[in-house]
Structures are given as C-alpha cells and as structure tokens.
PDB file of all heavy atoms in Angstrom:
ATOM      1  N   GLY L   1      -9.559   7.225  25.571  1.00 34.00           N
ATOM      2  CA  GLY L   1      -9.758   5.811  25.882  1.00 34.00           C
ATOM      3  C   GLY L   1      -9.393   4.941  24.708  1.00 34.00           C
ATOM      4  O   GLY L   1      -8.717   5.348  23.780  1.00 34.00           O
ATOM      5  N   GLU L   2      -9.883   3.732  24.725  1.00 36.00           N
ATOM      6  CA  GLU L   2      -9.601   2.816  23.637  1.00 36.00           C
ATOM      7  C   GLU L   2     -10.873   2.078  23.307  1.00 36.00           C
ATOM      8  O   GLU L   2     -11.817   2.034  24.075  1.00 36.00           O
ATOM      9  CB  GLU L   2      -8.502   1.839  24.038  1.00 36.00           C
ATOM     10  CG  GLU L   2      -8.838   1.003  25.250  1.00 36.00           C
ATOM     11  CD  GLU L   2      -7.686   0.151  25.691  1.00 36.00           C
ATOM     12  OE1 GLU L   2      -6.796   0.708  26.334  1.00 36.00           O
ATOM     13  OE2 GLU L   2      -7.690  -1.040  25.384  1.00 36.00           O
ATOM     14  N   GLY L   3     -10.903   1.479  22.134  1.00 36.00           N
ATOM     15  CA  GLY L   3     -12.047   0.679  21.746  1.00 36.00           C
ATOM     16  C   GLY L   3     -13.320   1.484  21.645  1.00 36.00           C
ATOM     17  O   GLY L   3     -14.368   1.068  22.103  1.00 36.00           O
ATOM     18  N   GLY L   4     -13.276   2.675  21.037  1.00 37.00           N
ATOM     19  CA  GLY L   4     -14.472   3.472  20.871  1.00 37.00           C
ATOM     20  C   GLY L   4     -14.771   4.386  22.031  1.00 37.00           C
ATOM     21  O   GLY L   4     -15.829   4.979  22.094  1.00 37.00           O
ATOM     22  N   ASP L   5     -13.829   4.542  22.984  1.00 39.00           N
ATOM     23  CA  ASP L   5     -14.071   5.380  24.155  1.00 39.00           C
ATOM     24  C   ASP L   5     -13.305   6.688  24.098  1.00 39.00           C
ATOM     25  O   ASP L   5     -13.078   7.320  25.113  1.00 39.00           O
ATOM     26  CB  ASP L   5     -13.673   4.628  25.426  1.00 39.00           C
ATOM     27  CG  ASP L   5     -14.633   3.493  25.689  1.00 39.00           C
ATOM     28  OD1 ASP L   5     -15.836   3.733  25.574  1.00 39.00           O
ATOM     29  OD2 ASP L   5     -14.160   2.399  25.981  1.00 39.00           O
ATOM     30  N   LYS L   6     -12.869   7.103  22.940  1.00 37.00           N
ATOM     31  CA  LYS L   6     -12.063   8.313  22.841  1.00 37.00           C
ATOM     32  C   LYS L   6     -12.892   9.532  23.220  1.00 37.00           C
ATOM     33  O   LYS L   6     -14.013   9.713  22.792  1.00 37.00           O
ATOM     34  CB  LYS L   6     -11.554   8.463  21.407  1.00 37.00           C
ATOM     35  CG  LYS L   6     -10.659   9.695  21.223  1.00 37.00           C
ATOM     36  CD  LYS L   6     -10.123   9.736  19.809  1.00 37.00           C
ATOM     37  CE  LYS L   6      -9.230  10.958  19.599  1.00 37.00           C
ATOM     38  NZ  LYS L   6      -8.715  11.029  18.233  1.00 37.00           N
ATOM     39  N   LEU L   7     -12.302  10.404  24.037  1.00 35.00           N
ATOM     40  CA  LEU L   7     -12.947  11.643  24.448  1.00 35.00           C
ATOM     41  C   LEU L   7     -12.342  12.804  23.685  1.00 35.00           C
ATOM     42  O   LEU L   7     -11.134  12.969  23.664  1.00 35.00           O
ATOM     43  CB  LEU L   7     -12.753  11.889  25.948  1.00 35.00           C
ATOM     44  CG  LEU L   7     -13.729  11.171  26.882  1.00 35.00           C
ATOM     45  CD1 LEU L   7     -13.234  11.308  28.302  1.00 35.00           C
ATOM     46  CD2 LEU L   7     -15.103  11.767  26.752  1.00 35.00           C
ATOM     47  N   THR L   8     -13.192  13.637  23.068  1.00 36.00           N
ATOM     48  CA  THR L   8     -12.693  14.841  22.408  1.00 36.00           C
ATOM     49  C   THR L   8     -12.570  15.942  23.430  1.00 36.00           C
ATOM     50  O   THR L   8     -12.860  15.754  24.605  1.00 36.00           O
ATOM     51  CB  THR L   8     -13.670  15.264  21.296  1.00 36.00           C
ATOM     52  OG1 THR L   8     -14.873  15.678  21.921  1.00 36.00           O
ATOM     53  CG2 THR L   8     -13.927  14.120  20.339  1.00 36.00           C
ATOM     54  N   LYS L   9     -12.170  17.142  22.988  1.00 35.00           N
ATOM     55  CA  LYS L   9     -12.022  18.280  23.899  1.00 35.00           C
ATOM     56  C   LYS L   9     -13.311  19.085  23.974  1.00 35.00           C
ATOM     57  O   LYS L   9     -13.293  20.237  24.340  1.00 35.00           O
ATOM     58  CB  LYS L   9     -10.866  19.169  23.440  1.00 35.00           C
ATOM     59  CG  LYS L   9      -9.522  18.467  23.539  1.00 35.00           C
ATOM     60  CD  LYS L   9      -8.401  19.402  23.179  1.00 35.00           C
ATOM     61  CE  LYS L   9      -7.046  18.717  23.319  1.00 35.00           C
ATOM     62  NZ  LYS L   9      -5.944  19.589  22.948  1.00 35.00           N
ATOM     63  N   LYS L  10     -14.446  18.449  23.648  1.00 37.00           N
ATOM     64  CA  LYS L  10     -15.713  19.141  23.810  1.00 37.00           C
ATOM     65  C   LYS L  10     -16.034  19.271  25.279  1.00 37.00           C
ATOM     66  O   LYS L  10     -15.462  18.606  26.121  1.00 37.00           O
ATOM     67  CB  LYS L  10     -16.828  18.353  23.114  1.00 37.00           C
ATOM     68  CG  LYS L  10     -16.674  18.275  21.606  1.00 37.00           C
ATOM     69  CD  LYS L  10     -17.813  17.472  21.007  1.00 37.00           C
ATOM     70  CE  LYS L  10     -17.680  17.361  19.490  1.00 37.00           C
ATOM     71  NZ  LYS L  10     -18.759  16.574  18.894  1.00 37.00           N
ATOM     72  N   LYS L  11     -17.008  20.114  25.587  1.00 36.00           N
ATOM     73  CA  LYS L  11     -17.451  20.222  26.956  1.00 36.00           C
ATOM     74  C   LYS L  11     -18.016  18.892  27.407  1.00 36.00           C
ATOM     75  O   LYS L  11     -18.576  18.142  26.625  1.00 36.00           O
ATOM     76  CB  LYS L  11     -18.523  21.301  27.096  1.00 36.00           C
ATOM     77  CG  LYS L  11     -18.022  22.709  26.787  1.00 36.00           C
ATOM     78  CD  LYS L  11     -19.145  23.703  26.905  1.00 36.00           C
ATOM     79  CE  LYS L  11     -18.659  25.122  26.578  1.00 36.00           C
ATOM     80  NZ  LYS L  11     -19.753  26.089  26.642  1.00 36.00           N
ATOM     81  N   LEU L  12     -17.887  18.627  28.700  1.00 32.00           N
ATOM     82  CA  LEU L  12     -18.376  17.354  29.218  1.00 32.00           C
ATOM     83  C   LEU L  12     -19.851  17.157  28.905  1.00 32.00           C
ATOM     84  O   LEU L  12     -20.292  16.043  28.673  1.00 32.00           O
ATOM     85  CB  LEU L  12     -18.160  17.292  30.730  1.00 32.00           C
ATOM     86  CG  LEU L  12     -16.738  16.973  31.178  1.00 32.00           C
ATOM     87  CD1 LEU L  12     -16.669  17.036  32.694  1.00 32.00           C
ATOM     88  CD2 LEU L  12     -16.298  15.628  30.676  1.00 32.00           C
ATOM     89  N   GLY L  13     -20.595  18.223  28.920  1.00 34.00           N
ATOM     90  CA  GLY L  13     -22.011  18.099  28.653  1.00 34.00           C
ATOM     91  C   GLY L  13     -22.320  17.671  27.237  1.00 34.00           C
ATOM     92  O   GLY L  13     -23.423  17.237  26.931  1.00 34.00           O
ATOM     93  N   GLU L  14     -21.336  17.805  26.319  1.00 35.00           N
ATOM     94  CA  GLU L  14     -21.549  17.435  24.929  1.00 35.00           C
ATOM     95  C   GLU L  14     -21.043  16.043  24.614  1.00 35.00           C
ATOM     96  O   GLU L  14     -21.169  15.559  23.502  1.00 35.00           O
ATOM     97  CB  GLU L  14     -20.850  18.444  24.016  1.00 35.00           C
ATOM     98  CG  GLU L  14     -21.401  19.869  24.171  1.00 35.00           C
ATOM     99  CD  GLU L  14     -20.585  20.868  23.376  1.00 35.00           C
ATOM    100  OE1 GLU L  14     -19.463  20.510  22.945  1.00 35.00           O
ATOM    101  OE2 GLU L  14     -21.050  21.989  23.184  1.00 35.00           O
ATOM    102  N   ILE L  15     -20.430  15.399  25.618  1.00 32.00           N
ATOM    103  CA  ILE L  15     -19.898  14.062  25.371  1.00 32.00           C
ATOM    104  C   ILE L  15     -21.046  13.099  25.127  1.00 32.00           C
ATOM    105  O   ILE L  15     -21.960  13.002  25.930  1.00 32.00           O
ATOM    106  CB  ILE L  15     -19.050  13.570  26.552  1.00 32.00           C
ATOM    107  CG1 ILE L  15     -17.833  14.484  26.702  1.00 32.00           C
ATOM    108  CG2 ILE L  15     -18.617  12.138  26.367  1.00 32.00           C
ATOM    109  CD1 ILE L  15     -16.971  14.137  27.890  1.00 32.00           C
ATOM    110  N   LYS L  16     -21.023  12.389  24.038  1.00 35.00           N
ATOM    111  CA  LYS L  16     -22.098  11.463  23.700  1.00 35.00           C
ATOM    112  C   LYS L  16     -21.915  10.161  24.452  1.00 35.00           C
ATOM    113  O   LYS L  16     -20.817   9.758  24.769  1.00 35.00           O
ATOM    114  CB  LYS L  16     -22.121  11.196  22.199  1.00 35.00           C
ATOM    115  CG  LYS L  16     -22.456  12.441  21.378  1.00 35.00           C
ATOM    116  CD  LYS L  16     -22.490  12.115  19.912  1.00 35.00           C
ATOM    117  CE  LYS L  16     -22.849  13.348  19.085  1.00 35.00           C
ATOM    118  NZ  LYS L  16     -22.861  13.053  17.653  1.00 35.00           N
ATOM    119  N   ASP L  17     -23.043   9.487  24.730  1.00 38.00           N
ATOM    120  CA  ASP L  17     -23.002   8.202  25.414  1.00 38.00           C
ATOM    121  C   ASP L  17     -22.534   7.152  24.421  1.00 38.00           C
ATOM    122  O   ASP L  17     -23.181   6.873  23.432  1.00 38.00           O
ATOM    123  CB  ASP L  17     -24.395   7.837  25.923  1.00 38.00           C
ATOM    124  CG  ASP L  17     -24.401   6.514  26.666  1.00 38.00           C
ATOM    125  OD1 ASP L  17     -23.307   5.954  26.839  1.00 38.00           O
ATOM    126  OD2 ASP L  17     -25.492   6.078  27.051  1.00 38.00           O
ATOM    127  N   LYS L  18     -21.355   6.591  24.677  1.00 39.00           N
ATOM    128  CA  LYS L  18     -20.792   5.609  23.761  1.00 39.00           C
ATOM    129  C   LYS L  18     -20.892   4.191  24.322  1.00 39.00           C
ATOM    130  O   LYS L  18     -20.194   3.296  23.883  1.00 39.00           O
ATOM    131  CB  LYS L  18     -19.343   5.954  23.470  1.00 39.00           C
ATOM    132  CG  LYS L  18     -19.206   7.313  22.766  1.00 39.00           C
ATOM    133  CD  LYS L  18     -17.786   7.553  22.334  1.00 39.00           C
ATOM    134  CE  LYS L  18     -17.671   8.886  21.596  1.00 39.00           C
ATOM    135  NZ  LYS L  18     -16.319   9.144  21.123  1.00 39.00           N
ATOM    136  N   THR L  19     -21.765   4.018  25.330  1.00 39.00           N
ATOM    137  CA  THR L  19     -21.857   2.680  25.905  1.00 39.00           C
ATOM    138  C   THR L  19     -22.541   1.715  24.947  1.00 39.00           C
ATOM    139  O   THR L  19     -22.262   0.531  24.978  1.00 39.00           O
ATOM    140  CB  THR L  19     -22.638   2.719  27.222  1.00 39.00           C
ATOM    141  OG1 THR L  19     -23.949   3.217  26.983  1.00 39.00           O
ATOM    142  CG2 THR L  19     -21.938   3.601  28.244  1.00 39.00           C
ATOM    143  N   ILE L  20     -23.463   2.207  24.125  1.00 52.00           N
ATOM    144  CA  ILE L  20     -24.129   1.330  23.177  1.00 52.00           C
ATOM    145  C   ILE L  20     -23.337   1.344  21.870  1.00 52.00           C
ATOM    146  O   ILE L  20     -23.559   2.120  20.973  1.00 52.00           O
ATOM    147  CB  ILE L  20     -25.580   1.778  22.922  1.00 52.00           C
ATOM    148  CG1 ILE L  20     -26.321   1.904  24.242  1.00 52.00           C
ATOM    149  CG2 ILE L  20     -26.279   0.815  22.006  1.00 52.00           C
ATOM    150  CD1 ILE L  20     -26.404   0.611  25.018  1.00 52.00           C
ATOM    151  N   SER L  21     -22.364   0.505  21.775  1.00 59.00           N
ATOM    152  CA  SER L  21     -21.538   0.421  20.582  1.00 59.00           C
ATOM    153  C   SER L  21     -21.097  -1.015  20.412  1.00 59.00           C
ATOM    154  O   SER L  21     -21.129  -1.801  21.346  1.00 59.00           O
ATOM    155  CB  SER L  21     -20.326   1.341  20.686  1.00 59.00           C
ATOM    156  OG  SER L  21     -19.563   1.016  21.813  1.00 59.00           O
ATOM    157  N   LEU L  22     -20.714  -1.346  19.218  1.00 76.00           N
ATOM    158  CA  LEU L  22     -20.361  -2.725  18.896  1.00 76.00           C
ATOM    159  C   LEU L  22     -18.892  -2.827  18.565  1.00 76.00           C
ATOM    160  O   LEU L  22     -18.287  -1.905  18.027  1.00 76.00           O
ATOM    161  CB  LEU L  22     -21.186  -3.198  17.691  1.00 76.00           C
ATOM    162  CG  LEU L  22     -22.708  -3.163  17.892  1.00 76.00           C
ATOM    163  CD1 LEU L  22     -23.402  -3.488  16.585  1.00 76.00           C
ATOM    164  CD2 LEU L  22     -23.114  -4.142  18.975  1.00 76.00           C
ATOM    165  N   ASP L  23     -18.323  -3.971  18.892  1.00 78.00           N
ATOM    166  CA  ASP L  23     -16.936  -4.235  18.551  1.00 78.00           C
ATOM    167  C   ASP L  23     -16.876  -5.214  17.387  1.00 78.00           C
ATOM    168  O   ASP L  23     -17.778  -6.017  17.175  1.00 78.00           O
ATOM    169  CB  ASP L  23     -16.201  -4.845  19.749  1.00 78.00           C
ATOM    170  CG  ASP L  23     -15.927  -3.802  20.814  1.00 78.00           C
ATOM    171  OD1 ASP L  23     -16.036  -2.615  20.488  1.00 78.00           O
ATOM    172  OD2 ASP L  23     -15.615  -4.195  21.944  1.00 78.00           O
ATOM    173  N   GLY L  24     -15.791  -5.095  16.653  1.00 69.00           N
ATOM    174  CA  GLY L  24     -15.572  -6.022  15.558  1.00 69.00           C
ATOM    175  C   GLY L  24     -16.444  -5.747  14.351  1.00 69.00           C
ATOM    176  O   GLY L  24     -16.700  -6.632  13.548  1.00 69.00           O
ATOM    177  N   GLU L  25     -16.963  -4.519  14.209  1.00 61.00           N
ATOM    178  CA  GLU L  25     -17.814  -4.211  13.067  1.00 61.00           C
ATOM    179  C   GLU L  25     -16.979  -4.075  11.796  1.00 61.00           C
ATOM    180  O   GLU L  25     -15.898  -3.507  11.802  1.00 61.00           O
ATOM    181  CB  GLU L  25     -18.566  -2.909  13.294  1.00 61.00           C
ATOM    182  CG  GLU L  25     -19.691  -3.030  14.308  1.00 61.00           C
ATOM    183  CD  GLU L  25     -20.579  -1.815  14.259  1.00 61.00           C
ATOM    184  OE1 GLU L  25     -20.282  -0.844  14.973  1.00 61.00           O
ATOM    185  OE2 GLU L  25     -21.558  -1.833  13.501  1.00 61.00           O
ATOM    186  N   ASP L  26     -17.507  -4.571  10.712  1.00 54.00           N
ATOM    187  CA  ASP L  26     -16.881  -4.413   9.392  1.00 54.00           C
ATOM    188  C   ASP L  26     -17.774  -3.505   8.581  1.00 54.00           C
ATOM    189  O   ASP L  26     -18.788  -3.931   8.040  1.00 54.00           O
ATOM    190  CB  ASP L  26     -16.719  -5.773   8.702  1.00 54.00           C
ATOM    191  CG  ASP L  26     -15.975  -5.683   7.376  1.00 54.00           C
ATOM    192  OD1 ASP L  26     -15.733  -4.553   6.932  1.00 54.00           O
ATOM    193  OD2 ASP L  26     -15.657  -6.738   6.810  1.00 54.00           O
ATOM    194  N   ARG L  27     -17.435  -2.228   8.545  1.00 45.00           N
ATOM    195  CA  ARG L  27     -18.294  -1.241   7.884  1.00 45.00           C
ATOM    196  C   ARG L  27     -18.434  -1.502   6.383  1.00 45.00           C
ATOM    197  O   ARG L  27     -19.399  -1.114   5.772  1.00 45.00           O
ATOM    198  CB  ARG L  27     -17.736   0.161   8.115  1.00 45.00           C
ATOM    199  CG  ARG L  27     -17.801   0.607   9.584  1.00 45.00           C
ATOM    200  CD  ARG L  27     -19.225   0.777  10.027  1.00 45.00           C
ATOM    201  NE  ARG L  27     -19.277   1.262  11.407  1.00 45.00           N
ATOM    202  CZ  ARG L  27     -20.393   1.450  12.089  1.00 45.00           C
ATOM    203  NH1 ARG L  27     -21.546   1.148  11.533  1.00 45.00           N
ATOM    204  NH2 ARG L  27     -20.363   1.890  13.324  1.00 45.00           N
ATOM    205  N   SER L  28     -17.422  -2.124   5.797  1.00 41.00           N
ATOM    206  CA  SER L  28     -17.509  -2.390   4.358  1.00 41.00           C
ATOM    207  C   SER L  28     -18.461  -3.535   4.060  1.00 41.00           C
ATOM    208  O   SER L  28     -18.906  -3.718   2.937  1.00 41.00           O
ATOM    209  CB  SER L  28     -16.116  -2.734   3.803  1.00 41.00           C
ATOM    210  OG  SER L  28     -15.706  -3.993   4.301  1.00 41.00           O
ATOM    211  N   ARG L  29     -18.786  -4.350   5.090  1.00 42.00           N
ATOM    212  CA  ARG L  29     -19.683  -5.489   4.965  1.00 42.00           C
ATOM    213  C   ARG L  29     -19.179  -6.520   3.977  1.00 42.00           C
ATOM    214  O   ARG L  29     -19.930  -7.363   3.504  1.00 42.00           O
ATOM    215  CB  ARG L  29     -21.090  -5.041   4.566  1.00 42.00           C
ATOM    216  CG  ARG L  29     -21.684  -4.000   5.520  1.00 42.00           C
ATOM    217  CD  ARG L  29     -23.154  -3.812   5.278  1.00 42.00           C
ATOM    218  NE  ARG L  29     -23.655  -2.721   6.103  1.00 42.00           N
ATOM    219  CZ  ARG L  29     -24.928  -2.350   6.138  1.00 42.00           C
ATOM    220  NH1 ARG L  29     -25.817  -2.991   5.409  1.00 42.00           N
ATOM    221  NH2 ARG L  29     -25.295  -1.360   6.906  1.00 42.00           N
ATOM    222  N   SER L  30     -17.890  -6.465   3.662  1.00 42.00           N
ATOM    223  CA  SER L  30     -17.354  -7.434   2.712  1.00 42.00           C
ATOM    224  C   SER L  30     -17.437  -8.842   3.264  1.00 42.00           C
ATOM    225  O   SER L  30     -17.530  -9.806   2.509  1.00 42.00           O
ATOM    226  CB  SER L  30     -15.904  -7.079   2.368  1.00 42.00           C
ATOM    227  OG  SER L  30     -15.107  -7.119   3.534  1.00 42.00           O
ATOM    228  N   GLN L  31     -17.454  -8.952   4.631  1.00 46.00           N
ATOM    229  CA  GLN L  31     -17.496 -10.288   5.199  1.00 46.00           C
ATOM    230  C   GLN L  31     -18.896 -10.881   5.163  1.00 46.00           C
ATOM    231  O   GLN L  31     -19.089 -12.038   5.486  1.00 46.00           O
ATOM    232  CB  GLN L  31     -16.990 -10.248   6.646  1.00 46.00           C
ATOM    233  CG  GLN L  31     -15.523  -9.886   6.745  1.00 46.00           C
ATOM    234  CD  GLN L  31     -15.021  -9.961   8.164  1.00 46.00           C
ATOM    235  OE1 GLN L  31     -15.556 -10.700   8.975  1.00 46.00           O
ATOM    236  NE2 GLN L  31     -13.995  -9.200   8.462  1.00 46.00           N
ATOM    237  N   ASP L  32     -19.909 -10.055   4.799  1.00 48.00           N
ATOM    238  CA  ASP L  32     -21.263 -10.586   4.711  1.00 48.00           C
ATOM    239  C   ASP L  32     -21.410 -11.552   3.537  1.00 48.00           C
ATOM    240  O   ASP L  32     -22.338 -12.339   3.486  1.00 48.00           O
ATOM    241  CB  ASP L  32     -22.273  -9.444   4.540  1.00 48.00           C
ATOM    242  CG  ASP L  32     -22.389  -8.626   5.824  1.00 48.00           C
ATOM    243  OD1 ASP L  32     -21.929  -9.124   6.866  1.00 48.00           O
ATOM    244  OD2 ASP L  32     -22.947  -7.518   5.774  1.00 48.00           O
ATOM    245  N   VAL L  33     -20.501 -11.438   2.551  1.00 48.00           N
ATOM    246  CA  VAL L  33     -20.577 -12.295   1.360  1.00 48.00           C
ATOM    247  C   VAL L  33     -19.515 -13.373   1.457  1.00 48.00           C
ATOM    248  O   VAL L  33     -18.322 -13.070   1.429  1.00 48.00           O
ATOM    249  CB  VAL L  33     -20.366 -11.463   0.078  1.00 48.00           C
ATOM    250  CG1 VAL L  33     -20.498 -12.351  -1.138  1.00 48.00           C
ATOM    251  CG2 VAL L  33     -21.364 -10.320   0.028  1.00 48.00           C
ATOM    252  N   PRO L  34     -19.893 -14.600   1.642  1.00 50.00           N
ATOM    253  CA  PRO L  34     -18.891 -15.665   1.767  1.00 50.00           C
ATOM    254  C   PRO L  34     -18.126 -15.865   0.469  1.00 50.00           C
ATOM    255  O   PRO L  34     -18.623 -15.618  -0.632  1.00 50.00           O
ATOM    256  CB  PRO L  34     -19.737 -16.890   2.119  1.00 50.00           C
ATOM    257  CG  PRO L  34     -21.104 -16.581   1.590  1.00 50.00           C
ATOM    258  CD  PRO L  34     -21.278 -15.104   1.694  1.00 50.00           C
ATOM    259  N   ALA L  35     -16.886 -16.264   0.640  1.00 48.00           N
ATOM    260  CA  ALA L  35     -16.067 -16.535  -0.546  1.00 48.00           C
ATOM    261  C   ALA L  35     -16.675 -17.677  -1.356  1.00 48.00           C
ATOM    262  O   ALA L  35     -17.133 -18.670  -0.816  1.00 48.00           O
ATOM    263  CB  ALA L  35     -14.652 -16.908  -0.125  1.00 48.00           C
ATOM    264  N   LYS L  36     -16.713 -17.518  -2.681  1.00 55.00           N
ATOM    265  CA  LYS L  36     -17.277 -18.531  -3.576  1.00 55.00           C
ATOM    266  C   LYS L  36     -16.383 -19.766  -3.641  1.00 55.00           C
ATOM    267  O   LYS L  36     -15.175 -19.673  -3.544  1.00 55.00           O
ATOM    268  CB  LYS L  36     -17.464 -17.951  -4.983  1.00 55.00           C
ATOM    269  CG  LYS L  36     -18.498 -16.823  -5.042  1.00 55.00           C
ATOM    270  CD  LYS L  36     -18.663 -16.316  -6.457  1.00 55.00           C
ATOM    271  CE  LYS L  36     -19.720 -15.209  -6.518  1.00 55.00           C
ATOM    272  NZ  LYS L  36     -19.905 -14.704  -7.889  1.00 55.00           N
ATOM    273  N   ARG L  37     -17.052 -20.905  -3.823  1.00 57.00           N
ATOM    274  CA  ARG L  37     -16.398 -22.200  -4.035  1.00 57.00           C
ATOM    275  C   ARG L  37     -15.459 -22.569  -2.883  1.00 57.00           C
ATOM    276  O   ARG L  37     -14.526 -23.313  -3.069  1.00 57.00           O
ATOM    277  CB  ARG L  37     -15.618 -22.201  -5.351  1.00 57.00           C
ATOM    278  CG  ARG L  37     -16.463 -21.893  -6.603  1.00 57.00           C
ATOM    279  CD  ARG L  37     -15.626 -22.060  -7.858  1.00 57.00           C
ATOM    280  NE  ARG L  37     -16.339 -21.640  -9.032  1.00 57.00           N
ATOM    281  CZ  ARG L  37     -16.328 -20.391  -9.503  1.00 57.00           C
ATOM    282  NH1 ARG L  37     -15.608 -19.475  -8.870  1.00 57.00           N
ATOM    283  NH2 ARG L  37     -17.002 -20.077 -10.579  1.00 57.00           N
ATOM    284  N   LYS L  38     -15.699 -21.922  -1.656  1.00 78.00           N
ATOM    285  CA  LYS L  38     -14.834 -22.253  -0.532  1.00 78.00           C
ATOM    286  C   LYS L  38     -15.671 -22.316   0.742  1.00 78.00           C
ATOM    287  O   LYS L  38     -16.388 -21.374   1.067  1.00 78.00           O
ATOM    288  CB  LYS L  38     -13.742 -21.191  -0.354  1.00 78.00           C
ATOM    289  CG  LYS L  38     -12.757 -21.516   0.769  1.00 78.00           C
ATOM    290  CD  LYS L  38     -11.699 -20.444   0.868  1.00 78.00           C
ATOM    291  CE  LYS L  38     -10.722 -20.755   2.006  1.00 78.00           C
ATOM    292  NZ  LYS L  38      -9.688 -19.704   2.135  1.00 78.00           N
ATOM    293  N   ALA L  39     -15.612 -23.414   1.448  1.00 87.00           N
ATOM    294  CA  ALA L  39     -16.379 -23.583   2.676  1.00 87.00           C
ATOM    295  C   ALA L  39     -15.824 -22.657   3.758  1.00 87.00           C
ATOM    296  O   ALA L  39     -14.613 -22.439   3.845  1.00 87.00           O
ATOM    297  CB  ALA L  39     -16.315 -25.036   3.142  1.00 87.00           C
ATOM    298  N   LEU L  40     -16.745 -22.120   4.554  1.00 89.00           N
ATOM    299  CA  LEU L  40     -16.328 -21.239   5.626  1.00 89.00           C
ATOM    300  C   LEU L  40     -15.780 -22.045   6.795  1.00 89.00           C
ATOM    301  O   LEU L  40     -16.296 -23.105   7.131  1.00 89.00           O
ATOM    302  CB  LEU L  40     -17.516 -20.405   6.122  1.00 89.00           C
ATOM    303  CG  LEU L  40     -18.144 -19.435   5.117  1.00 89.00           C
ATOM    304  CD1 LEU L  40     -19.362 -18.759   5.741  1.00 89.00           C
ATOM    305  CD2 LEU L  40     -17.136 -18.382   4.689  1.00 89.00           C
TER     306      LEU L  40
END
C-alpha cells in the first residue's frame, strides 16, 4: 500500500493494525523549534 499501509510477507495473522497512525510526522522534531528572529 501507500502512506504507511505497506504489507510485508508475514502471515496474515501477524499483520499489525496500522489504522492508528499519523501522517506528516517529523520524527526529528526539528519543526518543533521555530526559527529564531523570524515570524512563522
């Protein structure tokens, strides 16, 4: 699939529920810190 819906070749019974997932996540969290001296 796409957008976090990729299926591996595991048995169907081992497929994890991926319905609770978020889009647009920034794992580095660099966007949590606004740029200095510049309005957002």
Side-chain angles (χ1 to χ4, degrees):
E2 59 185 79
D5 290 315
K6 182 177 180 181
L7 277 169
T8 67
K9 294 184 178 179
K10 295 180 181 179
K11 295 178 181 178
L12 282 176
E14 298 173 346
I15 296 177
K16 295 181 179 179
D17 181 4
K18 297 187 178 182
T19 60
I20 306 299
S21 58
L22 300 173
D23 286 344
E25 287 193 271
D26 185 352
R27 293 293 183 183
S28 69
R29 305 192 186 182
S30 61
Q31 294 185 26
D32 290 345
V33 182
K36 295 181 179 180
R37 302 186 186 89
K38 183 179 179 181
L40 297 176

